[in-house]
Amino acid sequence: MSEKLLLINADGYGFTAGLNRGIEEAIDHGVVTSISVNSNFEAALELEALIARRPDISVGVHLNPVAGKPVSPRDEVPTLVDEAGEFHLDSFTAKLGSGHIDLGELALELGRQIERVQGLVPTITHLDGHQDRHVWPKFYDVFLDLAKRYGIGRMRTHARRIGMEHRHRTLRTGVYYATHPKRTAVQVYGRYLMRKARRRGLRMCDRRLSIEASTPRSTEEMLDAWLQLARSCPTGTNEMVCHPGYVDDELRRWARKTLDQRERERLAVTDPRLRAAFDDHGIRLISFHDI
């Protein structure tokens, strides 16, 4: 395929009203073509009105056993919650690995999160997970089973191409992987997981493009990173994940890192110079409807 196709997915719709507002601006005035929904928060109910207005946007479920409260009654998912009835947040992965999390309860809760989105939109196009926790051992098999059970045929790819913000990306990433062998192992593992998903019939983009998320950037630096991505976007189907939003008190409660980056990314993906750059470099924006 010689065409450059780019799917830009905004994670976290439904998490807070401020994130919803930012994502909707990035759809209406920017380049976002797809969203993933945290359905266990009340702000997710705004989804129905958004899709009535923008039915072209693809909608996925951002499976979330990490932050907030479950959709399920707490007595039905006791291993997923703490004494306050909230998910375990930062300790979820450790509890999953140690066997503290009951996988039947995990599947029950995540199935209900999917069903909640099913009640708000005509079609769920894809699945992914909050903080990419779904690719962890034990969780991943639950994830694949849920996709089959609910007839969801697409997912986020974890075949990554990192460092898209760098002009000399190949050199920079080569040095990075040479000095971070664990990250190399993660990349290899991600590709193994994608092969496993394809054998189960799931479809995905050829690759996921990434900009280093932990690097603090001014608004102009954030835009420059996206403009460089436009210059170096490869042919084929590419997915880019973003987190545009307005930071509100609810978000501050649950997210502790890179909060300012969300507002700067919102400004970047709604800047008309970015859309013009995509046009100049022959990039066609797509959604999961096209995968």
Side-chain angles (χ1 to χ4, degrees):
M1 180 183 292
S2 60
E3 193 174 9
K4 298 178 181 179
L5 305 176
L6 180 60
L7 185 162
I8 302 178
N9 190 90
D11 281 359
Y13 190 92
F15 206 151
T16 78
L19 290 188
N20 288 1
R21 179 184 167 201
I23 290 171
E24 292 191 21
E25 285 187 9
I27 292 169
D28 291 337
H29 307 294
V31 294
V32 166
T33 57
S34 179
I35 61 175
S36 295
V37 181
N38 283 72
S39 66
N40 63 308
F41 290 91
E42 288 307 303
L45 298 178
E46 297 178 8
L47 174 65
E48 190 170 21
L50 169 63
I51 297 307
R53 182 170 60 80
R54 291 297 306 266
D56 55 309
I57 298 300
S58 58
V59 177
V61 183
H62 205 48
L63 298 173
N64 174 28
V66 178
K69 294 183 178 181
V71 174
S72 305
R74 61 183 293 182
D75 62 348
E76 295 185 12
V77 289
T79 69
L80 269 60
V81 298
D82 59 19
E83 293 179 354
E86 296 177 347
F87 290 135
H88 296 296
L89 203 61
D90 294 338
S91 62
F92 167 78
T93 303
K95 289 182 180 295
L96 178 69
S98 67
H100 176 88
I101 301 293
D102 182 280
L103 298 183
E105 293 177 17
L106 182 64
L108 176 66
E109 166 60 21
L110 298 181
R112 287 174 172 160
Q113 291 183 16
I114 293 171
E115 290 165 7
R116 194 176 199 198
V117 178
Q118 283 181 326
L120 296 171
V121 300
T123 303
I124 295 174
T125 57
H126 62 283
L127 287 182
D128 50 53
H130 185 66
Q131 299 174 340
D132 287 343
R133 302 292 179 98
H134 64 288
V135 298
W136 285 80
K138 299 183 181 180
F139 195 158
Y140 192 59
D141 286 337
V142 172
F143 173 87
L144 294 178
D145 289 344
L146 287 168
K148 181 178 180 180
R149 184 196 311 171
Y150 288 96
I152 300 170
R154 306 171 187 88
M155 66 174 288
R156 167 167 300 159
T157 182
H158 292 276
R160 294 191 185 223
R161 182 171 294 191
I162 67 169
M164 296 301 297
E165 70 272 32
H166 299 304
R167 291 182 182 275
H168 304 289
R169 190 198 71 84
T170 302
L171 177 61
R172 295 286 295 266
T173 56
V175 171
Y176 176 81
Y177 284 129
T179 54
H180 295 79
K182 289 184 178 180
R183 300 308 302 173
T184 302
V186 168
Q187 289 280 16
V188 172
Y189 182 61
R191 283 163 172 75
Y192 160 73
L193 294 180
M194 295 308 97
R195 288 196 297 272
K196 185 175 181 179
R198 288 189 177 98
R199 288 197 296 269
R200 298 279 292 266
L202 283 161
R203 303 190 301 278
M204 63 204 73
C205 291
D206 296 330
R207 65 193 65 82
R208 175 177 169 184
L209 309 180
S210 296
I211 292 171
E212 175 54 54
S214 62
T215 301
R217 291 187 173 90
S218 67
T219 301
E220 283 301 312
E221 288 170 336
M222 181 68 78
L223 177 59
D224 286 345
W226 275 87
L227 291 173
Q228 178 57 35
L229 180 145
R231 287 189 286 268
S232 56
C233 181
T235 58
T237 56
N238 303 280
E239 180 180 0
M240 180 68 186
V241 178
C242 62
H243 301 83
Y246 289 88
V247 176
D248 53 21
D249 290 340
E250 182 74 1
L251 182 61
R252 291 187 185 94
R253 180 184 178 193
W254 299 110
R256 302 180 180 89
K257 298 179 181 178
T258 63
L259 291 180
D260 292 341
Q261 297 288 83
R262 292 176 181 264
E263 299 212 354
R264 292 166 185 158
E265 192 160 44
R266 170 179 54 81
L267 294 172
V269 298
T270 56
D271 193 301
R273 288 174 288 180
L274 180 59
R275 186 58 178 263
F278 287 157
D279 291 340
D280 290 344
H281 291 283
I283 297 169
R284 181 164 68 88
L285 295 178
I286 61 171
S287 74
F288 274 102
H289 292 297
D290 303 300
I291 301 301

